[in-house]
Amino acid sequence: MISCLDAACHWPSVARPVPPAPTNVDKLPWTAGLAMAVRPDGRPAIAYRDPRDQANKLLDCRTPDCSQADIRTLGAGDEYHAVPALVLDRQGRPLVAFESREHQRLMLAVCTGSRCESIPVSKNRGGFGERLAMTLNAAGDPVIAWIDHALAPPGLSWNLHVTTPLNLTSG
């Protein structure tokens, strides 16, 4: 994590809150990636799939430079699963959409303090594509989009799905 205190970035701060990934390119997942959101106080939250064990994780920074952070495992993944998506709700809580190997469905983790609670959102026979996308609607509810390659009608390369989970509890 490289962060700057000034716009010109004369004195960048570098922190490594997560151990480095393997350097063997053949062993890296084909859907490597991450999603990041920054709270108004400057503390980042980063959702990613760990290349060492393929688990979906949340790196929740306690400082703006991420030199102090908590890592929460959200669920087991797979090298072919979609990269997780992340937004911050109106209370600044991280919401992470991820594909769950255990549950074989799309999950949404709602994180408060040191705890994350995951709820099932949708089942999909063909997988959730390479990446998930998520935003908040006008009511503050998460809206998750994904592409389903396997269920595409003939002549199309994919089907776009958009889901708003209605089974969230306010917290």
Side-chain angles (χ1 to χ4, degrees):
M1 169 78 90
I2 300 172
S3 55
C4 301
L5 299 176
D6 61 294
C9 203
H10 291 292
W11 300 279
S13 171
V14 179
R16 184 173 282 181
V18 175
T23 56
N24 184 347
V25 177
D26 295 334
K27 301 236 183 229
L28 289 175
W30 66 280
T31 57
L34 56 83
M36 181 172 77
V38 179
R39 295 175 178 91
D41 65 4
R43 293 178 300 123
I46 302 169
Y48 65 101
R49 197 178 54 254
D50 193 320
R52 287 176 301 281
D53 62 5
Q54 303 305 318
N56 295 288
K57 296 183 180 179
L58 173 68
L59 176 69
D60 198 357
C61 300
R62 287 184 267 141
T63 58
D65 66 356
C66 221
S67 60
Q68 297 176 22
D70 299 308
I71 298 174
R72 295 185 195 92
T73 299
L74 305 173
D78 181 286
E79 66 181 298
Y80 302 107
H81 281 180
V83 173
L86 167 74
V87 296
L88 299 175
D89 71 6
R90 291 180 176 166
Q91 291 79 41
R93 298 179 304 177
L95 305 178
V96 182
F98 65 96
E99 188 176 351
S100 169
R101 184 176 70 202
E102 299 104 338
H103 302 291
Q104 297 181 345
R105 62 182 59 224
L106 180 64
M107 303 291 287
L108 180 67
V110 179
C111 302
T112 305
S114 62
R115 199 177 91 158
C116 291
E117 204 172 310
S118 295
I119 59 168
V121 174
S122 180
K123 193 157 178 95
N124 193 0
R125 290 175 280 165
F128 294 93
E130 293 180 23
R131 307 227 182 285
L132 300 171
M134 184 167 50
T135 190
L136 297 179
N137 64 18
D141 299 318
V143 178
I144 307 165
W146 73 89
I147 295 171
D148 178 4
H149 296 279
L151 297 178
L156 294 178
S157 61
W158 52 269
N159 267 339
L160 176 64
H161 296 266
V162 179
T163 301
T164 301
L166 300 176
N167 54 346
L168 293 178
T169 58
S170 59

